[in-house]
Amino acid sequence: MPQVIFPGGSGGGSFSPCTDVVRKFVLGEDCVAGDVIRSANSFDAPVVNGEALKALATNDYQSDAVGVVFEDGVAGDEVRVVFDGSINLTFSSAPLISQTGSDVYLDSNTAGVVTLTAPSGTGRSVVRIGKLLFADGVQTSVPCRIDIDFIVSFS
């Protein structure tokens, strides 16, 4: 059952003044706050169906992002996952101030990470994770608005 979290939570995420929709997941692998996750399926054996794994924009089942990890955890831990709201996401390189407001996409090279460039090419999927709310060109973990939307898969 989804849970509504109010501002002032802990665990590395930063919430907006509005409420955020959060649900608990059991991790199928180690994750850190800000990792984009998906729900494991039969292709992920021996990981149990429904456990959280890092999402990757490579093919349909790995790119099926559902939310963002709110707190660090190791495989087997139960952690909170943000489905809707604001939280810090991890980028492979620090976004610039001028990129504030840009769309944020699931990365196709590093699982759980986001990028400002939509993936392209055979075997890639475009999954918009949300919008960049703030950037300073220095930090790689910055606040974003979560609004996950699968755009297209390139065969």
Side-chain angles (χ1 to χ4, degrees):
M1 180 63 91
Q3 168 186 5
V4 177
I5 299 292
F6 294 92
S10 63
S14 62
F15 286 111
S16 68
C18 65
T19 59
D20 299 278
V21 178
V22 175
R23 179 175 180 259
K24 290 186 178 183
F25 267 81
V26 173
L27 294 176
E29 65 180 326
D30 298 356
C31 291
V32 296
D35 280 346
V36 178
I37 58 102
R38 63 184 177 85
S39 184
N41 60 41
S42 60
F43 295 112
D44 298 309
V47 175
V48 176
N49 284 357
E51 289 185 342
L53 296 174
K54 295 175 194 170
L56 185 64
T58 53
N59 62 40
D60 290 341
Y61 84 90
Q62 286 186 323
S63 64
D64 194 15
V66 296
V68 179
V69 175
F70 178 65
E71 56 213 339
D72 298 353
V74 297
D77 285 354
E78 185 177 72
V79 298
R80 292 174 289 173
V81 174
V82 177
F83 290 93
D84 182 43
S86 300
I87 189 169
N88 282 14
L89 293 177
T90 304
F91 289 78
S92 51
S93 60
L96 304 174
I97 293 171
S98 61
Q99 295 171 312
T100 299
S102 297
D103 285 333
V104 174
Y105 300 95
L106 183 61
D107 193 69
S108 61
N109 296 312
T110 306
V113 174
V114 295
T115 180
L116 294 172
T117 305
S120 62
T122 304
R124 304 286 188 232
S125 295
V126 178
V127 181
R128 189 174 67 82
I129 301 300
K131 292 269 189 195
L132 180 63
L133 296 177
F134 170 80
D136 61 7
V138 176
Q139 305 209 22
T140 56
S141 178
V142 293
C144 296
R145 172 79 181 133
I146 306 304
D147 183 19
I148 298 172
D149 189 22
F150 182 85
I151 307 296
V152 68
S153 182
F154 301 104
S155 301

